[in-house]
Amino acid sequence: VSAPPIPETRTEALTPIVDRLRRARSVALTTHVNADGDGAGCEIALASWLRAHDVRATIVNPTPFPSTFEFLLATEGAEDDMVADLGAGGETVLDTVELLLVVDTGEIGRIGKVARALTRETIVIDHHPIGEDPIPGSGLRDPEACATGELIYDLLRVWEARTGSEGSWSPALVDALYTAILTDTGSFRFSNTTPRTHEIVADLIGRGADPEKLYSQLYSVPLRRVLLLREALGTLEYDADHGIAWITVPAEALQRLGVGTDDFDGLIDHARGIRGTRVALLFRQTGGGTKISFRATGDIDVNRIARMFGGGGHVKAAGAVVGGPLEANRARVLDAVRSAIGSADRAAERAGRTA
Ligand SMILES: [Mn+2]
């Protein structure tokens, strides 16, 4: 398998980052709260690579490392001490490290208590559109990338080109980058999936990633998650006039089923997957208020809607947390979604008339 070429502009942006990392003695890696496969995968890939190239790299996340991706830490090329949680050595790392590298988010509000390390030299590598509260420092923010994992893959290739020698593609690294891209593209089904996505993944398989093994490790689920799904689907509602599907997780179900934050991953896709759905929503009450997840298929920009409620994310996947009771918040959000769909339809109609 031949490795795909790196776009010129990306090589230009990554070269100074590679040169800086090669000079670093210690690097702390972090990502957004509740790390997903892309954030956690990029961290493990980078930690494995940097350590193999004599840079002391440690992962310090604002929230505990997700159990779904812990198998990557047990893969050859990863090490147990790669992760230092806050409250268990993480603060010391942040206070003494030379460089902070933030992946899969570029917003201060998304890195929680890790923001204390922003006094250090900081580099951001991310594929989200730039938000209102950007992390200062240098880096690469490229929304064209299907996942931050794509940018990390490019970074490693640029590193090899700079040194003129092959780098250390450990099993942990290859599996972690495959995981990053697999999860952020919805297993290669979302619109961010490109020919280049498949070219990179082909290269990773050539380097030892095992799709069947990784798929089963990532998508086999604990029983509690299926029980949560059963409860959640019992609350499914659908507005056929607007194409809105929403799920409300009963607050008491959380304790009863013993589910954690990870267990909500993918729940909303059951609403999104209903034919005719333009916006899918998931509502759940947390200590901090009502947590709302937004997903869109087609032309609705849910990032804009989430921002009206103090949140944000991508055009097709966003989130927000709103204080106050769930029922009232749900009514306000549904109103906002209906009105966004209404304006999109009126705009499309006007465009059709003038065409
Ligand atoms: Mn991502």
Side-chain angles (χ1 to χ4, degrees):
V1 182
S2 65
I6 315 297
E8 193 63 43
T9 51
R10 236 177 239 174
T11 303
E12 272 165 34
L14 285 167
T15 299
I17 301 174
V18 164
D19 290 347
R20 179 65 192 91
L21 288 172
R22 286 176 58 207
R23 278 191 289 115
R25 275 160 299 125
S26 64
V27 175
L29 303 163
T30 198
T31 186
H32 53 81
V33 292
N34 304 324
D36 58 12
D38 193 21
C42 288
E43 290 178 321
I44 291 178
L46 280 165
S48 176
W49 179 277
L50 290 170
R51 284 181 172 209
H53 296 86
D54 298 317
V55 181
R56 195 156 14 97
T58 312
I59 298 165
V60 184
N61 285 345
T63 47
F65 197 84
S67 56
T68 315
F69 308 111
E70 271 175 348
F71 74 92
L72 292 168
L73 287 165
T75 305
E76 187 195 329
E79 287 157 321
D80 279 346
D81 70 345
M82 274 182 175
V83 177
D85 282 326
L86 292 176
E91 284 86 352
T92 313
V93 173
L94 295 181
D95 292 344
T96 56
V97 82
E98 185 184 332
L99 194 67
L100 177 69
L101 177 51
V102 184
V103 292
D104 201 36
T105 183
E107 300 218 39
I108 295 173
R110 297 277 288 144
I111 59 167
K113 287 184 175 162
V114 173
R116 70 190 277 159
L118 291 178
T119 52
R120 312 256 140 202
E121 183 183 347
T122 304
I123 297 175
V124 172
I125 301 179
D126 185 28
H127 71 130
H128 295 82
I130 197 155
E132 278 159 18
D133 189 21
I135 292 171
S138 59
L140 170 59
R141 300 168 197 251
D142 188 343
E144 295 281 298
C146 67
T148 305
E150 176 175 338
L151 301 173
I152 301 305
Y153 171 88
D154 292 341
L155 182 146
L156 306 185
R157 297 274 316 285
V158 169
W159 183 303
E160 289 185 321
R162 290 298 274 177
T163 58
S165 63
E166 212 174 296
S168 173
W169 297 81
S170 72
L173 181 152
V174 166
D175 285 0
L177 282 188
Y178 184 93
T179 297
I181 295 172
L182 180 78
T183 53
D184 254 32
T185 58
S187 306
F188 315 112
R189 290 168 302 177
F190 297 162
S191 62
N192 58 349
T193 307
T194 64
R196 192 163 194 273
T197 308
H198 285 284
E199 285 168 1
I200 292 171
V201 160
D203 186 32
L204 294 174
I205 293 170
R207 293 177 191 271
D210 178 343
E212 185 188 24
K213 188 196 77 184
L214 288 167
Y215 191 84
S216 113
Q217 253 156 340
L218 290 163
Y219 293 107
S220 67
V221 293
L223 175 63
R224 63 174 187 275
R225 208 176 274 204
V226 179
L227 299 179
L228 171 67
L229 175 63
R230 180 168 70 182
E231 299 240 357
L233 288 183
T235 73
L236 175 74
E237 293 178 80
Y238 197 78
D239 172 348
D241 293 337
H242 294 87
I244 310 170
W246 66 96
I247 289 171
T248 310
V249 179
E252 46 76 44
L254 305 190
Q255 270 103 40
R256 189 155 38 78
L257 301 173
V259 295
T261 312
D262 290 9
D263 293 316
F264 292 93
D265 293 351
L267 199 51
I268 195 170
D269 295 326
H270 295 276
R272 190 217 317 239
I274 299 168
R275 190 163 298 149
T277 298
R278 299 171 73 186
V279 174
L281 301 159
L282 178 75
F283 298 94
R284 66 185 178 95
Q285 199 65 20
T286 69
T290 308
K291 190 168 164 36
I292 306 135
S293 302
F294 301 77
R295 296 290 184 276
T297 50
D299 57 344
I300 307 299
D301 179 353
V302 287
N303 182 35
R304 260 181 64 192
I305 307 174
R307 279 177 191 276
M308 292 164 56
F309 294 93
H314 295 277
V315 171
K316 293 192 177 186
V321 179
V322 186
L326 188 146
E327 284 72 19
N329 291 330
R330 186 173 53 196
R332 285 172 55 218
V333 169
L334 284 168
D335 278 348
V337 172
R338 286 187 181 108
S339 111
I341 289 174
S343 355
D345 287 348
R346 282 191 298 279
E349 209 174 293
R350 275 196 304 277
R353 265 205 304 274
T354 54

